[in-house]
Amino acid sequence: MTQDASDRPAARRRKTPEELRSHRWYGVKDLRSFGHRSRTAQMGYHRSDYAGKPVIAIINTWSDINPCHTHFKQRVEEVKRGIWQAGGFPVEMPAISLSEPFQKPTTMLYRNLLAMETEELLRSYPADGCVLMGGCDKTTPALIMGAVSMNLPAIFMPAGPMLRGDYKGGFLGSGSDTWKYWAELRAGNITERDWQEVEDGIARSPGHCMTMGTASTMTSATEALGLCLPGSASIPAPDARHAQMASLTGKRIVDMVWEDLKPSDLLTAASFDNAVTTVLALSGSTNAIVHLIAMARRSGFDLDLDRFDALARRTPVLANLRPSGRYLMEDFFYAGGLPALLAQLGDLLDGTQRTVTGRTLAENIAGAQVYNDDVIRSRDRALVAGDGLAVLRGNLAPDGAVIKPPAAEAHLLTHTGPAVVFDDYNEMAARIDDPALDIDADSVIVLRNAGPQGAPGMPEWGQLPIPKKLLERGVRDMVRISDARMSGTSYGACVLHVAPESYVGGPLALVRTGDRIELDVPNRRLNLLVDDAELARRRAAWTPPPPKFERGFGKLYLKHISQADKGCDFDFLETVPARPAAAGGGEPEIH
Ligand code: FES
C-alpha cells in the first residue's frame, strides 16, 4: 500500500515564494514576465492560480502507441489534483514515449533522447519541481537520468504492472510466456488457435509488463533508491489504489519543492547499492545493470560491474516471480509488495538513506508485512541463496559480460562447446532454422554486431533462438553469447552485454564457427580457446563495418554512446567523477 508523507519528520527550512525558480518567470515586474503572465491568462488561469506557488512540471510519457501508459491520460488528472490540493500549479509537459513493443530498432536507441528531453524541458521552462510519469522499460531510467542531471526536486510516478494474463484457466506472464508458447508452437506442441488465445489474453489491462521484466525491475529499483512513494511501484495499474498513489505523488512534490529536497540529497553510493541489492533479490532484469550504471554515473558515482557481482554473491533471491520464479506482479502486490520484500532484506540494505518522503528507507518500510510467504520468501527460504547474477570476464569479454544463472539450465553454467557464429541478426534469422545448419545442443550460438553501436542501440536480441530442429528434439536451453541485451522477461543460458562490443573491434569480432568457447560461471570466466598468435592474425585482418547512420540523431548517438559496462550514456552527459552542480548544466537566461 502506498504511504503518504503526512507524518514525515519536522521539515527542513522551507523556501520562500521569492526563492522559487519560477519567480523569475512570474514574480518579477518586467516586460517579459508580463508576457508569461498574460499568456498564462490566455490558457484560462487567473494569477491567483499560480502566484507564489511552486510550478510542478509533469513529464508525461503517454502516447497512443504506448499500451503500457494508456491510463496516463487519467492518471495525470489525479497527479494534478494532488498538486492543486497541496498548493502547487501543475503544468503537464508531454515527452517522447518509448514504447517497448513498437519502437524500432529498439527503445534503447532513444533512452538518452528522452533523458535529454526531460532535462531540457525542466531547464528551459519555469519548473520548480517535477513528477516523472513512466514505467514502460526505458522510460524509467531515461526520466530519472534527465531529472538527476537537472537536479530539481523530483518524484517518480510508476505506471504499475498490468493484470495477470489469462489463458485456459491459468495465468500468462508478459514476454516469458510469449517465448515459451512460441517455442511450443514451433515445436508443434500447440495449435495456431491456441497461439491466438495466448495473443488475446496475455495483455488485458493498462500497465507495464507484469513479470519481473525490465519495467518492474526499474520501477522497483527506483523505489529502493527513494525516488517514489513507498509501495508505489507494485500497485497494478488498474487498481484504485494506483489512482490514489498518483494523487499522493502530486501532493508530495509540492512540499518537496518548499523543502528543496533534490535528487542530489537522496542519491548516494549506498542508495545505489540498495537499488542493486533490490534488483538482485527480485531476480530482476539484466537491463537494470546498464540503466543503474548510467543513472549512477549521472549522479556522480562510478557504479561498476564488479559491484553488481560482489552484491550478487551475498544477496538471496526472495521474489518468486517469473521469469525466474512462479508468480506475477499482481501476486507480488497482494503479498505485500516491495516494502515487504525490502523489510525481508534487513541488514543487506542501508536503511539510513533518505527518500522523497523526507524519511529514511528504514522508516518507510517499518512494519511492512509479508502476506504470502511463497511469493515473497524469507531469507532462510530463499529461492536462490546468492549468485542471482554473475559478471564474467576473460579473453572474450575483457570489459565484462553478464549472465543470470537462475534463468539458465544449471548444467550449462559450466560448459565448453564449439561456436556457431552469426555476423548479424538478419543472418541469424535467415539461417537458424536451416535443416543443414551444423549445430547440436552442445554448440555455443554467437551473435555479433548487436551492441550499442553495432545494432545499433543494443536491442534485446540476446535470447538467441534455438534452432527448430533442436526444439523438436526437446532442447530448450543452450549457451548463447552476444553483445546484445536481453528482455527482462527472457530466460536461458544467455551471456549478454559482452564488452567491448564486436562492432568496435571487441574480441567477439574475431570468433569463427568451430572455435571452442569456455563458459565457467562459478569461476566467472568466458574464454575463447584460441591461442593469442592466431587471434592477433585475425585482428590484423579485421576491418570495422560501415557506420549505420550518416545523419540525424543516429549520427549523434554513434559518436557519443558509451559501452555497456559504462551504462550506454552519451559521454557529454555523464558527470562521473564529479557531483553535478546545484542545477546541472546551468540555468537559462530569462529575458
Ligand atoms: Fe512496456 Fe513491457 S512493453 S513494459
Side-chain angles (χ1 to χ4, degrees):
M1 215 62 49
T2 313
Q3 294 173 26
D4 69 18
S6 55
D7 61 341
R8 66 187 173 279
R12 309 141 41 108
R13 184 188 86 83
R14 292 171 77 84
K15 277 186 173 175
T16 64
E18 292 72 29
E19 290 174 311
L20 293 175
R21 191 170 171 268
S22 60
H23 181 76
R24 292 152 48 198
W25 274 263
Y26 283 124
V28 294
K29 292 197 182 332
D30 61 12
L31 181 62
R32 280 299 173 199
S33 65
F34 167 85
H36 303 145
R37 288 189 297 269
S38 65
R39 290 302 183 152
T40 304
Q42 181 185 8
M43 293 186 282
Y45 296 108
H46 186 262
R47 65 180 62 82
S48 60
D49 287 329
Y50 61 82
K53 297 180 177 179
V55 175
I56 307 298
I58 307 171
I59 309 293
N60 188 353
T61 53
W62 173 87
S63 162
D64 257 343
I65 199 148
N66 193 334
C68 303
H69 295 179
T70 50
H71 54 317
F72 276 12
K73 268 192 172 176
Q74 177 60 36
R75 287 295 173 273
V76 75
E77 297 306 321
E78 286 135 4
V79 172
K80 286 179 184 176
R81 185 177 77 211
I83 293 170
W84 283 120
Q85 285 179 353
F89 180 54
V91 179
E92 184 180 353
M93 296 184 184
I96 181 174
S97 195
L98 309 179
S99 177
E100 196 63 30
F102 290 98
Q103 198 162 27
K104 308 292 183 200
T106 164
T107 51
M108 188 62 184
L109 188 65
Y110 300 104
R111 184 198 66 183
N112 298 347
L113 183 62
L114 174 57
M116 290 174 76
E117 187 182 10
T118 301
E119 181 178 348
E120 299 309 323
L121 282 171
L122 296 176
R123 174 174 294 115
S124 56
Y125 286 114
D128 294 305
C130 61
V131 176
L132 309 167
M133 294 179 62
C136 186
D137 280 27
K138 317 302 179 291
T139 57
T140 303
L143 289 164
I144 291 171
M145 287 161 70
V148 161
S149 291
M150 191 52 201
N151 203 27
L152 297 175
I155 189 167
F156 184 72
M157 196 223 75
M162 66 178 95
L163 298 176
R164 292 181 286 237
D166 174 57
Y167 174 63
K168 294 185 189 288
F171 298 136
L172 290 172
S174 311
S176 306
D177 282 311
T178 308
W179 325 131
K180 176 180 156 188
Y181 285 107
W182 177 240
E184 297 305 330
L185 182 73
R186 292 172 73 223
N189 295 334
I190 65 169
T191 65
E192 280 292 341
R193 189 185 169 124
D194 295 329
W195 180 235
Q196 202 166 39
E197 280 186 45
V198 173
E199 182 177 311
D200 291 341
I202 198 165
R204 63 189 181 94
S205 84
H208 60 65
C209 292
M210 73 333 226
T211 40
M212 187 41 71
T214 305
S216 301
T217 303
M218 289 311 302
T219 56
S220 300
T222 299
E223 187 172 321
L225 278 170
L227 295 179
C228 57
L229 290 179
S232 59
S234 314
I235 309 172
D239 195 298
R241 288 164 285 190
H242 193 272
Q244 296 165 24
M245 177 273 292
S247 175
L248 291 172
T249 299
K251 280 185 184 165
R252 178 59 193 142
I253 186 61
V254 178
D255 267 344
M256 286 175 67
V257 170
W258 290 124
E259 294 164 15
D260 200 24
L261 190 58
K262 304 180 297 298
S264 61
D265 298 314
L266 307 178
L267 299 177
T268 64
S271 67
F272 278 102
D273 274 0
N274 285 344
V276 174
T277 299
T278 301
V279 168
L280 293 163
L282 292 166
S283 192
S285 165
T286 46
N287 285 325
I289 302 167
V290 177
H291 298 320
L292 284 172
I293 288 174
M295 289 159 61
R297 292 173 73 85
R298 287 288 184 112
S299 312
F301 303 107
D302 191 7
L303 178 63
D304 64 18
L305 287 177
D306 292 334
R307 190 66 188 150
F308 281 84
D309 195 77
L311 293 171
R313 289 174 190 267
R314 71 167 205 193
T315 306
V317 175
L318 302 183
N320 190 3
L321 297 173
R322 297 184 204 182
S324 298
R326 178 171 169 210
Y327 296 98
L328 296 166
M329 284 301 289
E330 194 178 340
D331 307 296
F332 185 64
F333 176 61
Y334 302 145
L338 193 70
L341 179 126
L342 297 179
Q344 294 298 311
L345 284 170
D347 62 0
L348 296 180
L349 296 175
D350 180 342
T352 66
Q353 297 305 300
R354 296 173 67 200
T355 73
V356 289
T357 61
R359 297 185 296 252
T360 64
L361 183 67
E363 288 168 334
N364 285 347
I365 63 176
Q369 288 183 29
V370 173
Y371 301 114
N372 183 334
D373 64 6
D374 193 36
V375 179
I376 300 175
R377 300 291 186 88
S378 56
R379 279 163 70 174
D380 58 1
R381 289 183 58 241
L383 275 99
V384 182
D387 283 355
L389 182 84
V391 174
L392 310 168
R393 293 185 194 272
N395 72 349
L396 197 48
D399 292 338
V402 302
I403 188 170
K404 193 170 167 182
E409 289 185 7
H411 70 101
L412 293 172
L413 297 177
T414 307
H415 179 84
T416 300
V420 176
V421 180
F422 298 102
D423 260 329
D424 59 36
Y425 184 87
N426 290 339
E427 189 208 349
M428 180 182 71
R431 290 183 51 219
I432 193 75
D433 286 340
D434 183 346
L437 184 68
D438 185 11
I439 192 167
D440 63 29
D442 285 335
S443 300
V444 175
I445 307 177
V446 173
L447 173 67
R448 56 183 161 225
N449 292 313
Q453 292 199 37
M458 203 182 175
E460 294 181 341
W461 295 339
Q463 189 189 32
L464 311 181
I466 293 172
K468 190 165 182 239
K469 65 182 179 185
L470 298 183
L471 285 172
E472 288 167 348
R473 280 185 232 152
V475 177
R476 289 293 181 274
D477 199 4
M478 294 173 68
V479 175
R480 292 162 269 180
I481 301 174
S482 72
D483 41 17
R485 295 174 300 115
M486 177 172 87
S487 164
T489 61
S490 300
Y491 47 83
C494 302
V495 177
L496 311 159
H497 307 189
V498 170
E501 63 174 306
S502 60
Y503 186 86
V504 299
L508 204 61
L510 309 180
V511 186
R512 291 184 182 165
T513 292
D515 289 348
R516 294 186 71 74
I517 292 177
E518 175 202 39
L519 170 66
D520 181 351
V521 175
N523 291 302
R524 304 298 197 259
R525 283 204 302 260
L526 181 66
N527 282 310
L528 178 61
L529 304 180
V530 173
D531 66 58
D532 290 347
E534 171 60 15
L535 289 178
R537 271 192 294 279
R538 293 182 192 180
R539 176 164 301 287
W542 181 81
T543 52
K548 302 270 177 139
F549 287 106
E550 298 288 0
R551 63 173 300 283
F553 176 75
K555 186 166 183 177
L556 177 86
Y557 173 96
L558 289 179
K559 187 165 178 203
H560 294 287
I561 193 73
S562 68
Q563 289 290 293
D565 61 304
K566 296 288 185 287
C568 297
D569 201 358
F570 291 155
D571 51 13
F572 59 89
L573 293 173
E574 293 180 344
T575 54
V576 166
R579 291 285 294 162
E587 289 282 292
E589 291 294 318
I590 313 297
H591 296 297

